């Protein structure tokens, strides 16, 4: 086996999930993620942890949902086995990497939504564990990224096998600035795209230094972003990075906010999918996240939110659900059944201000060489 | 997808496991059993059952066990997640069909035994569900059987896609004879092999009409055997059907019983593996099962106990653990950590007697055409 697979497993088990002897760990292995599954479970055995392995197959999910459509029994809102499983688990390691990123494309959005609603308790039990999501580089993901397989493997390991401690130290400066600030303004002025000029309040909110470890309230590997939960958004924003929503390609999203809510929107492609997201519930029209990508090991967009939103020189905003970690104890932030991230390339003709002071210009942070305040 | 895969799934879900709306079902899918997993989960969705899918990979199991050997933490005797999972489950459907039937060959027997011992509670919770074990025909199993892939697919579906109701009716006659009897004697007299002449008591024991359904206390698909739990065995027996014990090929086993215990044994190959089984514990030297194969859809040996022991014209004896279903309420039968089946071809020069009356001669039962009492 490629030595990088073992290194990936060790980062996941030790740095990200902080597994110790006696921990009860659930591992989910996608169809083509077998090799990383093997390496992870071997590491769990070495650490003296218990391992239970789920088959995280999108084709199995599709089959269940299509079967349910045929049977018309609806969904049980207390699936006892899965709830018991996650309630008993200390950690959940999700290893993506299937055979077809559009495997569930023919499942209706009604069915998806009914299923997601019935499984709210399962999802909450899962989120209460020390969960971490990663992917094994597969041919299907390489294809989604428009890359050769070996090229994509290099890309994934460049993003994952980093000096996470050093990146966490660097990201601490951004967290500090956001925690101290009250208002963020993002401005872009490019010839080839509509302008962005958007402001939002972050007063009283706590930023997460998302350093790919549960010790930092961070649940993605790779990570490398700092994010918080904004509110009272005003202005307009353009997102030039393409994305996929429920198997539909969406690009060139433009959102207009008034009094914290989206009041107008358009997309260059996939506008119906965007509309469907925004119409989910009232919270789907408000921001749940402002994130600043800081992982410079990620050097291109691959149509995967796990990587795209962490890329250096990018900023993303998400409509929908806010993360509890950003909120004061006991306060609930924006609530929604959805959380959809949208990304802007800020490498040129852009600036981000906190309380009127520029902290990032054209992708360069104020503590970096070449910053032009 | 091959229509037979869907038919297999329907037999498993409806005839074997008797799944109904609201049931909580755990499905375990081996590495190459994806297609049957998809068909089974689709059927579960149609029936309105909940489905949780485990990845039943022998390579994952090996990785965990080898990792544990490296880490030297030993095994936790309360793996909370897996216990909770099976305690919450109504049914457990195990779909075998990996990539390599010898995937765990380099795991030491000490490690296997320590792991099996630590997981006693998990095993008991799993056996308390309506569990059914089947296999998807894979190239690895075809190879184990010495068959071409398409040929092996035909073989599996001939064994699985039967009129189970009709076979259950036929097997009821054998169950009746065993339930009414007190002593079984099996005699073979062949030129090419040592003679068998063995007697055992079955007084007070109840035979299981193993018709591939939990409704018949039967947990294998295919099945097609009638079995009971004998005791006070005397005499000697020869088993001419080859088998694999812990990845070791074993053939031509000869056992000599006195006062119910094996007092002498030999094997034409794999004698050490046989000795290791018999030395496991005191119960490993006593019989746990007498089984009569009655599935005439199985027409050849394939080095898989799931099929071999159900083949028509065969009788098998197992050393080790007896099944509770054969015992009077509250009585415990032969107890052991092992249960190893050994098979004799009885198609020629053989007879089985119950209380001195011949019920099967040269493979033909007394209720069949051509029976020569």
């Amino acid at each position: 086996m490629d030595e990088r697979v073992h290194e990936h497993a060790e980062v996941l088990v030790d740095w990200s999930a902080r597994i110790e002897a006696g921990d009860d760990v659930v591992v989910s292995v996608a169809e083509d993620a077998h090799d990383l599954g093997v390496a992870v479970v071997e590491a769990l055995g070495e650490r003296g942890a218990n391992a239970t392995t789920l088959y995280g197959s999108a084709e199995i999910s599709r089959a269940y949902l299509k079967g349910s459509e045929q049977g018309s029994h609806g969904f049980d809102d207390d699936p006892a086995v899965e709830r018991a499983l996650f309630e008993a688990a200390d950690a959940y390691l999700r290893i993506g990497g299937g055979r077809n990123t559009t495997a569930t494309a023919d499942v209706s959005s009604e069915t998806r939504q009914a299923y997601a609603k019935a499984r709210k308790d399962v999802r909450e039990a899962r989120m209460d564990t020390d969960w971490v999501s990663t992917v094994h580089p597969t041919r299907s993901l390489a294809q989604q990224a428009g890359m050769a397989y070996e090229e994509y493997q290099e890309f994934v390991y460049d993003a994952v096998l980093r000096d996470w401690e050093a990146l966490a130290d660097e990201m601490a400066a951004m967290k500090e600035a956001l925690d101290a600030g009250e208002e963020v303004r993002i401005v872009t002025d490019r010839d080839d795209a509509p302008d962005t000029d958007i402001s939002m309040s972050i007063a009283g909110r706590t930023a997460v230094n998302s350093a790919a470890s549960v010790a930092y309230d961070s649940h993605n590997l790779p990570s490398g972003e700092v994010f918080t939960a904004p509110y009272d958004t005003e202005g307009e924003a353009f997102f030039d990075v393409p994305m996929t929503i429920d198997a539909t390609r969406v690009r060139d999203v433009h959102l207009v906010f008034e009094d914290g809510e989206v009041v107008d929107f358009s997309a260059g492609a996939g506008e119906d999918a965007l509309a469907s997201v925004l119409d989910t519930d009232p919270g789907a029209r408000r921001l749940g996240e402002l994130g600043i990508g800081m992982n410079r090991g990620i050097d291109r967009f691959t149509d995967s939110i796990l990587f795209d939103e962490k890329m250096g020189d990018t900023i993303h905003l998400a409509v929908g659900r806010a993360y509890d970690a950003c909120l004061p104890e006991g306060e609930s932030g924006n609530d929604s059944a959805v959380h959809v991230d949208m990304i802007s390339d800020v490498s040129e003709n852009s600036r981000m201000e906190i309380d009127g002071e520029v902290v990032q210009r054209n992708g360069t942070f104020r503590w970096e060489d070449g910053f032009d305040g």
Side-chain angles (χ1 to χ4, degrees), chain A:
Chain A
M1 195 186 288
D2 188 327
E3 188 48 39
R4 296 173 300 180
V5 180
H6 286 290
E7 291 169 20
H8 188 169
E10 279 161 23
V11 172
L12 178 64
V13 168
D14 297 327
W15 171 263
S16 295
R18 310 280 160 135
I19 301 301
E20 293 177 0
D23 282 354
D24 285 296
V25 184
V26 174
V27 183
S28 172
V29 179
E31 293 141 0
D32 272 359
H34 178 82
D35 281 3
L36 182 54
V38 165
V40 165
V41 168
E42 184 178 347
L44 293 175
E46 278 180 24
R47 308 299 181 269
N50 294 313
T52 302
T53 310
L54 298 177
Y55 188 39
S57 159
E59 290 189 352
I60 291 271
S61 298
R62 173 193 177 272
Y64 185 71
L65 296 172
K66 297 300 276 185
S68 295
E69 287 178 354
Q70 290 294 319
S72 304
H73 288 273
F75 296 108
D76 190 339
D77 61 6
D78 185 18
V81 168
E82 231 162 321
R83 195 170 38 72
L85 172 89
F86 288 115
E87 282 173 358
D90 297 305
Y92 171 59
L93 308 181
R94 182 182 176 281
I95 307 174
R99 293 185 191 145
N100 174 3
T101 59
T102 58
T104 62
D106 64 348
V107 177
S108 74
S109 59
E110 292 74 25
T111 301
R112 285 170 203 271
Q113 282 166 15
Y115 185 64
K117 200 174 159 194
R119 288 165 58 86
K120 190 163 177 284
D121 289 352
V122 169
R123 194 167 51 242
E124 284 177 4
R126 199 172 58 216
M127 303 285 272
D128 278 346
T129 67
D130 282 342
W131 65 274
V132 181
S133 190
T134 193
V135 295
H136 183 60
T138 64
R139 286 171 177 82
S140 155
L141 290 169
Q143 177 178 322
Q144 176 96 352
M147 294 168 80
Y149 178 47
E150 281 74 10
E151 182 186 22
Y152 184 69
Q153 288 177 307
E154 293 280 348
F155 166 81
V156 169
Y157 296 121
D158 280 349
V160 166
L161 303 179
R162 301 203 68 71
D163 181 344
W164 287 106
E165 203 119 36
L167 183 52
D169 286 347
E170 187 194 335
M171 293 197 298
M174 174 54 77
K175 170 177 160 59
E176 213 170 287
L178 288 168
D179 285 353
E182 303 208 331
E183 193 188 64
V184 171
R185 183 178 173 207
I186 300 161
V187 181
T188 66
D189 172 19
R190 293 172 13 179
D191 296 340
D192 58 342
D195 292 344
T196 288
D197 190 347
I198 191 170
S199 298
M200 59 205 80
S201 178
I202 55 167
R205 299 295 165 91
T206 305
V208 168
N209 176 348
S210 183
S213 169
V214 296
Y216 289 81
D217 283 319
S218 174
H219 300 277
N220 287 177
L221 176 66
S223 191
E225 60 166 325
V226 177
F227 64 85
T228 189
Y231 55 99
D232 289 353
T233 312
E234 295 286 342
E236 54 193 292
F238 181 74
F239 305 92
D240 56 347
V241 179
M243 60 185 164
T244 301
I245 298 177
D246 283 351
T248 301
R249 193 78 170 163
V250 179
R251 61 170 69 238
D252 294 341
V253 170
H254 186 242
L255 300 180
V256 182
F257 288 84
E258 277 178 26
D259 293 334
E261 281 195 3
V262 174
V263 293
D264 196 15
F265 66 90
S266 67
E271 193 170 286
D272 287 354
L274 176 64
S276 168
V277 165
L278 295 172
D279 287 343
T280 307
D281 48 35
R285 290 196 168 238
R286 286 191 291 268
L287 287 188
E289 182 188 354
L290 156 68
I292 295 110
M294 296 182 67
N295 185 337
R296 296 204 194 272
I298 302 170
D299 61 356
R300 56 194 290 173
F301 297 108
T302 56
D303 196 14
S304 162
I305 194 63
L306 180 65
F307 295 87
D308 290 353
E309 67 172 8
K310 279 73 170 204
M311 181 168 154
D313 292 0
T314 69
I315 289 178
H316 58 279
L317 298 171
V319 292
R321 192 169 53 246
Y323 292 107
D324 285 346
C326 302
L327 304 167
E329 188 72 31
E331 193 173 311
S332 60
N334 192 38
D335 190 28
S336 173
V338 297
H339 177 103
V340 174
D341 296 283
M342 304 178 192
I343 305 171
S344 288
D345 181 341
V346 295
S347 59
E348 289 179 358
N349 300 319
S350 82
R351 67 178 193 277
M352 179 175 71
E353 300 171 3
I354 299 179
D355 298 339
E357 191 183 338
V358 178
V359 293
Q360 183 182 30
R361 187 183 293 278
N362 304 335
T364 305
F365 297 105
R366 72 175 176 213
W367 54 83
E368 290 184 305
D369 288 347
F371 175 70
D372 178 16

